[in-house]
Amino acid sequence: MRDATVRALETSKTETDGSVDGHDGDAGAAEAAALYSDLTGLLERLHRRHLDVVRLALEGMGVTEINASQGLLLLSIGEGEVPVRDLIQRGYYQASSATYNIKKLVDYGYLEQLRSEHDRRSVRLRLGPPGRHVADRLRDLDQRLARIAVEEEGLGEPLQEALRTLKKLDRVWADFLSFG
């Protein structure tokens, strides 16, 4: 696993002569490191920009009591009931920020907490009526932006390739965290 992680961090393509992306030794490794650095920086910027899009949408709805991260939490819960631990285990949220955001969303009526009859420590979440409204509007916005990206910008295939690449990078990071 560790060897695969190291190879994936260096480059996505290694030629049979040992060079990286057509470059020998240090030059190839330096190029791969620069690409990796650019990619991780872009991921951070895209996340912040996505939060800005959500913030703008919330403002457009007249929703001022919750922030963009809380709006995304509503969107990730969806239509059913979700145990709090599932949100944390899926890797979406840190336990402390999830607890804070859930408390705020419950206080404002965007979320409802359901305690298990058998184990009072087990809490499930579902959207309250205002939370459902916000999640539906954010889902509509996501669909509209996806349509623009695919139909107007011609990004259908590039988005599929980007998703495949990001899933591989996610596996590299998960393997690194698990196996060092």
Side-chain angles (χ1 to χ4, degrees):
M1 285 289 187
R2 184 160 172 35
D3 290 340
T5 301
V6 170
R7 281 194 310 276
L9 288 173
E10 289 176 352
T11 184
S12 61
K13 179 178 76 175
T14 302
E15 295 185 356
T16 57
D17 65 356
S19 65
V20 179
D21 282 343
H23 299 284
D24 289 326
D26 291 339
E31 182 180 340
L35 289 170
Y36 179 83
S37 178
D38 288 349
L39 177 66
T40 55
L42 180 59
L43 289 172
E44 291 178 49
R45 190 168 59 249
L46 286 171
H47 177 66
R48 286 191 308 272
R49 187 146 326 186
H50 187 232
L51 289 174
D52 288 342
V53 167
V54 172
R55 180 188 47 78
L56 189 63
L58 291 171
E59 289 173 4
M61 290 181 238
V63 175
T64 58
E65 59 273 358
I66 66 173
N67 62 40
S69 293
Q70 292 164 339
L72 288 177
L73 193 146
L74 295 173
L75 192 57
S76 69
I77 289 173
E79 295 301 317
E81 296 177 1
V82 177
V84 173
R85 73 176 180 278
D86 285 2
L87 290 175
I88 295 165
Q89 287 175 345
R90 289 180 201 162
Y92 293 144
Y93 306 98
Q94 300 281 335
S96 59
S97 72
T99 303
Y100 171 81
N101 285 324
I102 289 166
K103 180 185 181 325
K104 290 295 181 187
L105 291 167
V106 168
D107 289 348
Y108 289 121
Y110 289 91
L111 280 181
E112 297 172 355
Q113 285 183 322
L114 308 163
R115 294 211 178 266
S116 169
E117 292 179 22
H118 305 292
D119 182 356
R120 301 298 293 166
R121 298 169 299 171
S122 177
V123 177
R124 299 180 69 74
L125 302 170
R126 72 173 170 213
L127 298 175
R132 192 170 299 108
H133 174 74
V134 168
D136 288 345
R137 297 279 304 271
L138 291 176
R139 197 172 300 106
D140 291 344
L141 174 63
D142 276 352
Q143 290 172 356
R144 190 172 114 229
L145 291 172
R147 195 170 32 258
I148 290 169
V150 171
E151 294 173 6
E152 295 178 21
E153 300 297 324
L155 294 177
E157 180 57 36
L159 282 174
Q160 291 174 2
E161 182 59 33
L163 182 60
R164 284 190 292 271
T165 300
L166 291 172
K167 283 181 177 182
K168 289 177 184 177
L169 184 58
D170 182 45
R171 278 194 307 271
V172 167
W173 288 345
D175 288 350
F176 181 80
L177 290 171
S178 296
F179 307 110

